[in-house]
């Protein structure tokens, strides 16, 4: 099994992905600056596998799965160089990188565009430079369905136009372009392309990642007032917030509220494992894939499913539409299934059950 670098591995998606990759037997080195996460998440992930989180990376590395933590910033070239060099010196080079580290709040990106471009684009650039220098050319990148902007057609295929409508989305689109250039695939939009420069890269466009680990020990822990529907709904259910605002009931959808493609974070994590396996086993290539369920759920359906899972009532009131929202975004995930042999396994009810178990056991997230 491979030694992997996981940037941003302490975050919501990264921590669940670490769990799935440890299960597969990999050795993980997590680089995170904890700007939006807690080391407790990784301690719990290690604990789920009967491991301890290594903070002194020199100590061990046998052949079984392991997880080490380096606290640092992905924009720091020196930190990255030391990390690749150290791995080599310990006899196990980093074979591949999964790059989650980044900033993700749409509204904040409008307020702080320079910070978003710096962390998301410059962070990715520094990482690619270090990978090139140290001869590691396999990368899975966290892209987002946000780069489709307001879609012209649903379900959304990978060939849909890229038209981001905020700095966050624009920074993700820019990294996608950078990755195509690095792979030697500039100007070609095929979602499966061979890489003349010998890179193996997957650009994974996530739809709406939600839910939590079935153990209830790790989950999403947003800072302050949640921007996104799911954490807001579970925080209302647990009594942390009084009521939910439903942003518009006059959308052209089956019940008038917005429809999204919610994907269980464990399904998403398994999508990363499948992408990594496909890249490592295949020829140099650049893959661009939607990771979604292909199913849409409305805001009211999410409320009802969470009420059923929690046994609590979720008060809500109808509010004006949120600027920048689309009526419906749903993935066409068929290419990911063909290329990776992966598809989502979990339903909206599974999402609500696991998300609720996490929220109930950790009403204040990792600071509980
Ligand atoms: P998250 O904020 O929970 O995780 C990101 C992690 O990166 C955090 O642990 C944070 O501390 C770390 N980080 C941030 N800047 C860093 C830096 N400069 N150096 C090192 N570490 C840094 O977010 P998430 O939901 O787990 O998202 C992971 C990735 O997936 C992000 O790139 C995000 O843009 C992308 N994405 C997320 C969603 C979503 O809805 N959650 C949707 C599409 C794409
Ligand atoms: C948001 C981001 C998007 C990002 C995605 C996943 C915006 C405009 N878009 O998308 O770029 O990729 O998260 O992180 O922020 N809703 C309510 N009340 C709430 C919150 C949300 O009714 O308090 C509704 C929204 O109007 C929408 C649905 O719930 O119809 C889902 O919203 P959200 O969870 O924020 O996800 P996206 O809008 O898909």
């Amino acid at each position: 099994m491979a030694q992997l670098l996981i940037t941003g591995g302490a975050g919501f998606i990264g921590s669940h992905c670490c769990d799935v990759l440890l299960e597969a037997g990999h050795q993980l080195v997590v680089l995170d600056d904890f700007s939006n996460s807690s080391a407790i998440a990784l301690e719990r992930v290690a604990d789920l596998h009967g491991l301890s989180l290594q903070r002194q990376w020199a100590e061990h590395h046998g052949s079984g799965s392991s997880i080490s933590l380096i606290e640092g910033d992905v924009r720091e070239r020196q930190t990255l160089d030391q990390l690749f060099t150290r791995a080599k010196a310990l006899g196990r080079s980093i074979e591949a990188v999964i790059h989650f580290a980044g900033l993700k709040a749409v509204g904040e990106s409008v307020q702080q565009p320079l910070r978003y471009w710096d962390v998301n684009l410059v962070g990715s650039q520094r990482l690619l430079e270090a990978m090139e220098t140290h001869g590691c050319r396999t990368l899975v990148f966290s892209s987002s369905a946000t780069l489709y902007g307001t879609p012209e057609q649903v379900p959304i295929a990978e060939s849909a136009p890229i038209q981001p409508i905020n700095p966050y989305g624009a920074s993700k689109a820019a990294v996608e372009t950078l990755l195509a250039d690095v792979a030697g695939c500039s100007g070609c939009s095929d979602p499966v392309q061979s890489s003349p420069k010998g890179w193996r890269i997957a650009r994974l466009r996530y739809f709406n990642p939600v839910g939590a680990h079935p153990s209830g020990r790790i989950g999403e822990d947003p800072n302050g007032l949640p921007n996104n529907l799911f954490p807001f709904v579970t925080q209302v259910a647990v009594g942390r917030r009084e009521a939910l605002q439903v942003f518009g009931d006059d959308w052209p959808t089956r019940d008038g509220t917005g429809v999204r493609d919610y994907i269980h974070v464990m399904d998403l994590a398994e999508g990363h494992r499948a992408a990594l396996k496909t890249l490592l086993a295949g020829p140099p290539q650049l893959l661009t894939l939607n990771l979604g369920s292909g199913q849409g759920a409305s805001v009211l359906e999410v409320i009802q499913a969470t009420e059923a899972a929690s046994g609590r009532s979720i008060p809500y009131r109808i509010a004006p539409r949120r600027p920048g929202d689309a009526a419906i975004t749903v993935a066409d995930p068929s290419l990911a299934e063909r290329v990776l042999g992966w598809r989502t396994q979990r339903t909206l009810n599974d999402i609500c059950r696991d998300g609720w178990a996490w929220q109930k056991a950790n009403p204040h997230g990792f600071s509980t």
Side-chain angles (χ1 to χ4, degrees):
M1 285 296 144
Q3 169 127 289
L4 308 172
L5 168 61
I6 317 289
T7 75
F12 170 46
I13 302 169
S15 57
H16 291 79
C17 201
C18 286
D19 170 71
V20 164
L21 295 169
L22 287 174
E23 190 64 38
H26 294 293
Q27 302 186 324
L28 311 181
V29 180
V30 173
L31 174 69
D32 204 299
D33 69 356
F34 300 116
S35 52
N36 197 36
S37 57
S38 159
I40 298 171
L42 290 179
E43 281 163 8
R44 292 190 183 179
V45 168
D47 193 50
L48 284 168
H49 293 269
L51 299 168
S52 57
L53 181 64
Q54 311 270 321
R55 287 169 187 259
Q56 298 296 324
W57 191 18
E59 274 172 16
H60 136 320
H61 277 280
S63 55
S65 61
S66 64
I67 177 162
S68 308
L69 170 63
I70 311 284
E71 186 167 350
D73 191 317
V74 73
R75 289 167 295 180
E76 285 169 6
R77 194 45 216 279
Q78 205 188 354
T79 303
L80 292 167
D81 282 335
Q82 281 170 354
L83 198 154
F84 280 99
T85 307
R86 182 114 198 97
K88 201 168 182 186
L90 290 171
R92 284 195 68 102
S93 297
I94 304 283
E95 256 183 76
V97 179
I98 305 187
H99 181 35
F100 294 108
L103 303 178
K104 64 167 180 175
V106 171
E108 191 180 64
S109 79
V110 177
Q111 303 306 319
Q112 305 174 17
L114 288 170
R115 182 167 163 246
Y116 269 69
W117 278 94
D118 190 39
V119 175
N120 291 355
L121 179 60
V122 176
S124 302
Q125 191 178 338
R126 291 289 103 80
L127 176 67
L128 287 161
E129 286 163 7
M131 290 177 70
E132 177 110 297
T133 300
H134 296 275
C136 173
R137 292 196 177 80
T138 303
L139 176 74
V140 178
F141 172 63
S142 298
S143 190
S144 172
T146 199
L147 49 71
Y148 295 120
T150 307
E152 282 152 22
Q153 270 190 326
V154 282
I156 306 170
E158 289 81 356
S159 54
I162 302 302
Q163 43 194 18
I165 55 171
N166 51 61
Y168 166 64
S171 71
K172 289 287 177 188
V175 177
E176 284 212 359
T177 303
L178 173 61
L179 292 172
D181 290 348
V182 164
C185 304
S186 315
C188 174
S189 59
D190 289 350
V192 179
Q193 300 174 60
S194 66
S195 163
K197 296 205 168 170
W199 283 75
R200 292 172 170 80
I201 297 177
R203 307 185 292 190
L204 302 182
R205 296 176 179 166
Y206 314 156
F207 278 66
N208 290 61
V210 289
H213 193 273
S215 67
R217 299 201 62 205
I218 54 170
E220 189 171 10
D221 182 16
N223 276 332
L225 197 68
N227 297 310
N228 299 118
L229 179 66
F230 247 89
F232 209 111
V233 166
T234 54
Q235 289 190 11
V236 172
V238 85
R240 248 177 97 173
R241 318 244 167 234
E242 261 178 33
L244 174 78
Q245 295 189 71
V246 174
F247 296 141
D249 65 351
D250 55 353
W251 294 101
T253 61
R254 51 187 174 254
D255 62 18
T257 65
V259 168
R260 294 291 180 275
D261 184 333
Y262 296 101
I263 174 171
H264 195 301
V265 66
M266 295 301 292
D267 277 326
L268 187 62
E270 287 163 8
H272 287 70
R273 181 178 60 195
L276 188 70
K277 197 171 166 195
T278 301
L279 288 178
L280 289 171
Q285 56 185 336
L286 174 67
L287 304 176
T288 308
L289 300 169
N290 285 339
L291 295 191
S293 69
Q295 305 292 320
S298 74
V299 177
L300 295 182
E301 286 162 356
V302 167
I303 294 173
Q304 282 154 13
T306 310
E307 287 185 329
S310 63
R312 309 263 178 112
S313 104
I314 298 174
Y316 66 86
R317 65 177 185 82
I318 305 299
R321 291 181 178 190
R322 182 172 64 177
D325 267 354
I328 307 181
T329 59
V330 174
D332 175 350
S334 55
L335 187 65
E337 183 167 2
R338 281 205 299 284
V339 174
L340 306 179
W342 165 92
R343 62 190 298 181
T344 59
Q345 304 291 330
R346 295 160 181 89
T347 63
L348 181 63
N349 289 339
D350 297 331
I351 287 171
C352 295
R353 180 199 61 219
D354 294 340
W356 170 244
W358 152 253
Q359 187 72 79
K360 193 172 153 206
N362 305 270
H364 296 280
F366 290 107
S367 56
T368 297

